[in-house]
């Protein structure tokens, strides 16, 4: 397929939590229609999954502390991110977490590339907390924030993120094929003959 849109997915965390599983499912289904690239800031379990999915991924080691009070330590990383994104020229960037957005923010501002932020977690801190102030600040660098629930959206509104930025898209699940065969296997394995199995 020619002229496919180029999406750069960015993840800070290397473990496989709920947000990372959602991200991997997105990649699995979007890779047929889009040119998919992945930028990883820490090595770990997610890297193996990217290899299994045959996703083009790149690694730039994150600074030890993603805090701008250590800005001088972040400069080399930000320069590498800038050069990488400038060369790749993605149509849009998908950031899967707060730290990814934080590391992308200066580059997004300079290169004027559109980005979306997938927000998986309810913010329970007060609107004057450090985290709330940071989320408000970095929300200004992205076009939209995908909230996985109304509760996540409401928590962001509560801490002062513009409602215009927020959209709720619930997490999907992969449907099981051959459910009848699977049910029979489960009945047999657990001796549930004649029992109702979901």
């Amino acid at each position: 397929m020619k002229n496919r849109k180029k999406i750069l997915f960015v993840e800070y965390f290397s473990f496989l939590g709920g947000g990372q599983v959602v991200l991997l499912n997105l990649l699995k289904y979007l890779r047929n229609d889009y040119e998919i690239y992945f930028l990883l800031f820490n090595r770990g379990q997610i890297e193996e999954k990217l290899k299994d999915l045959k996703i083009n991924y790149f690694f730039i080691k994150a600074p030890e502390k993603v805090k701008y009070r250590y800005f001088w330590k972040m400069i080399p990383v930000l320069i590498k991110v800038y050069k990488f994104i400038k060369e790749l020229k993605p149509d849009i960037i998908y950031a899967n977490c707060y730290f990814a957005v934080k590391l992308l923010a200066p580059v997004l501002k300079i290169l004027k590339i559109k980005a979306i932020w997938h927000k998986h977690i309810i913010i329970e801190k007060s609107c004057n907390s450090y985290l709330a102030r940071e989320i408000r600040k970095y929300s200004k660098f992205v076009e939209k924030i995908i909230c996985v629930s109304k509760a996540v959206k409401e928590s962001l509104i509560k801490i002062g993120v513009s409602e215009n930025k927020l959209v709720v898209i619930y997490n999907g699940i992969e449907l099981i094929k051959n459910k009848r065969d699977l049910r029979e296997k489960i009945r047999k394995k657990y001796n549930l003959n004649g029992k109702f199995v979901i």
Side-chain angles (χ1 to χ4, degrees):
M1 192 185 296
K2 292 182 179 178
N3 300 322
R4 296 195 304 172
K5 294 283 186 188
K6 196 183 285 187
I7 306 174
L8 174 62
F9 289 82
V10 183
E11 176 61 89
Y12 176 83
F13 295 110
S14 60
F15 57 77
L16 288 177
Q20 290 71 35
V21 171
V22 169
L23 171 58
L24 289 166
N25 274 330
L26 281 172
L27 294 173
K28 192 173 174 181
Y29 290 99
L30 291 176
R31 67 185 173 172
N32 296 325
D33 298 314
Y34 298 92
E35 208 174 313
I36 301 292
Y37 296 88
F38 199 100
L39 175 59
L40 190 58
F41 284 118
N42 286 292
R43 293 194 183 277
Q45 293 173 298
I46 198 167
E47 193 171 3
E48 293 308 311
K49 296 293 184 184
L50 292 170
K51 286 177 188 173
D52 291 345
L53 289 170
K54 296 179 174 58
I55 299 292
N56 292 315
Y57 75 92
F58 304 86
F59 174 73
I60 297 173
K61 179 70 184 128
E64 225 173 275
K65 295 183 180 178
V66 187
K67 294 186 176 179
Y68 278 93
R69 66 172 172 250
Y70 304 105
F71 187 72
W72 59 277
K73 288 185 177 179
M74 288 180 66
I75 289 172
V77 176
L78 294 174
I79 289 169
K80 286 178 187 173
V81 172
Y82 170 80
K83 285 179 178 175
F84 170 74
I85 292 175
K86 189 177 181 189
E87 188 177 322
L88 186 66
K89 295 183 177 68
D91 293 292
I92 193 160
I93 295 175
Y94 166 106
N96 199 43
C97 67
Y98 158 67
F99 289 117
V101 174
K102 201 169 184 177
L103 286 166
L104 288 169
V107 177
L108 294 173
K109 188 168 185 179
I110 294 165
L111 295 177
K112 295 180 172 37
I113 294 175
K114 291 183 178 182
I116 55 174
W117 177 359
H118 205 152
K119 199 79 184 78
H120 303 273
I121 299 170
I122 295 168
I123 304 303
E124 295 175 337
K125 304 279 185 185
S126 76
C127 64
N128 294 320
S129 69
Y130 171 79
L131 181 61
R133 290 195 311 271
E134 289 284 284
I135 289 171
R136 265 196 313 273
K137 176 168 62 178
Y138 291 109
S139 71
K140 293 172 183 161
F141 291 88
V142 298
E143 295 294 308
K144 287 286 181 189
I145 300 173
I146 298 171
C147 303
V148 299
S149 68
K150 288 179 183 174
V152 170
K153 180 181 177 181
E154 292 303 319
S155 76
L156 293 175
I157 292 168
K158 194 174 177 180
I159 64 165
V161 174
S162 169
E163 192 171 352
N164 294 336
K165 293 261 182 186
L166 307 174
V167 60
V168 175
I169 301 176
Y170 300 110
N171 289 338
I173 58 166
E174 192 169 7
L175 295 175
I176 299 168
K177 294 174 184 170
N178 303 322
K179 288 179 266 188
R180 185 180 302 261
D181 294 344
L182 183 59
R183 279 197 290 265
E184 289 308 317
K185 283 180 188 175
I186 291 169
R187 283 190 183 105
K188 190 173 180 180
K189 183 177 179 179
Y190 296 104
N191 196 22
L192 298 170
N193 296 329
K195 304 285 183 188
F196 181 66
V197 174
I198 297 176

